[in-house]
Amino acid sequence: MQMQQRVDLHMHSCYSDGKLNPNQLIDLCAKAEMPIISITDHDNVNGIEEAIVYGNQKGIQVIPGVEVSTDFEGIEVHLLGYFFDYNNAHLKDFLNDIRLMRRKRNELIVSKLNEMGSKISFVSIESKVSSQTTIGRPHIANELNEEGFVNSYYDAFIKYIGDGKPAYVKKTNPDIREAVEQISEAGGLSFIAHPGKALRDDTLIRLINKGIDGLEVIHPSHSDDDIEYFTGIAAEYFLLICGGSDFHGGSKNDGKNFGKYSVTPVEVANMKRRLFS
Ligand code: AMP
Ligand code: ZN
Ligand code: FE
Ligand code: FE
């Protein structure tokens, strides 16, 4: 029997909080014999071009992807976009504004940490990544760990920068509706990322009414029960399905997930059918 081909539509590169660059990710996907993939950096499409070019060389189709942090009724909901024009000026401006908002917030977090005795600087964090990168709390956690101000990456979240902790500053996210519209105007499809336990029942239905095209059904955080539930909802509301490993290059103890969470070329064909019908 031929093994079903694996399609991983959720992973992060060094253009957000992943460890590997797009080419290194593609090399791993080639080794795993994946015919189609998507790199979905947080609020960032800057790695897509090089991924597509290198993917072509390796015989891998790279679908333009992004994971946008959005606001829905005061909670942060991650929205995955696929198949948009990654050169669309409005979409790029929209994502740029989000990164500027993040920058202000990161500076506030760093100044709180400085008041608490840490000597890290935002300039030093920025100097370690490309100017095209989305910087977030994971980068701050790594910096605190390197400084020795905390005992580990996770310790940084537990003691200082996790939600509600002393150096935490809430991020200002765009409304989910706006993100859905931006992706749609750029010719793409939007999916609710890892809905899990938090986004179920009434909340999920209200989210679906925001105009999303599909649900991320396959994700490391989902139990078998979650997968069954979201598959049922997708069928009931005529939604598309996506899924993937949310691999960050091993930087979040996620090395074991790569290759284990995937959909198939059938889900991608369904997306294309939706786009071109
Ligand atoms: P940001 O988008 O800058 O708010 O950063 C969010 C990211 O920080 C999440 O995607 C996680 O990777 C990481 N994160 C948030 N809270 C925790 C936590 N308690 N432990 C470990 N990682 C966390
Ligand atoms: Zn991430
Ligand atoms: Fe996410
Ligand atoms: Fe992700």
Side-chain angles (χ1 to χ4, degrees), residues 10 12 40 42 67 194 246 248:
H10 191 157
H12 298 271
T40 50
H42 298 282
E67 182 173 19
H194 43 73
D246 209 349
H248 285 75

Side-chain angles (χ1 to χ4, degrees), residues 99-164:
R99 290 200 296 277
L100 285 176
M101 243 166 355
R102 276 180 171 275
R103 191 174 198 280
K104 284 191 198 132
R105 180 248 201 169
N106 290 336
E107 281 171 342
L108 286 174
I109 294 179
V110 169
S111 64
K112 280 196 172 196
L113 287 162
N114 292 155
E115 279 166 23
M116 290 166 197
S118 161
K119 301 273 188 290
I120 65 164
S121 77
F122 191 59
V123 174
S124 159
I125 295 173
E126 278 188 319
S127 71
K128 290 176 186 161
V129 296
S130 127
S131 61
Q132 304 295 306
T133 298
T134 305
I135 299 176
R137 281 185 284 165
H139 299 87
I140 300 174
N142 281 328
E143 192 76 3
L144 288 171
N145 190 25
E146 262 178 46
E147 182 196 20
F149 194 67
V150 294
N151 297 323
S152 71
Y153 172 87
Y154 289 99
D155 195 33
F157 285 96
I158 293 166
K159 289 197 183 126
Y160 298 104
I161 62 172
D163 290 21

Side-chain angles (χ1 to χ4, degrees), residues 225-240:
D225 171 65
D226 292 331
I227 293 171
E228 194 181 319
Y229 176 78
F230 294 117
T231 304
I233 295 284
E236 193 176 338
Y237 289 86
F238 301 101
L239 295 171
L240 297 161

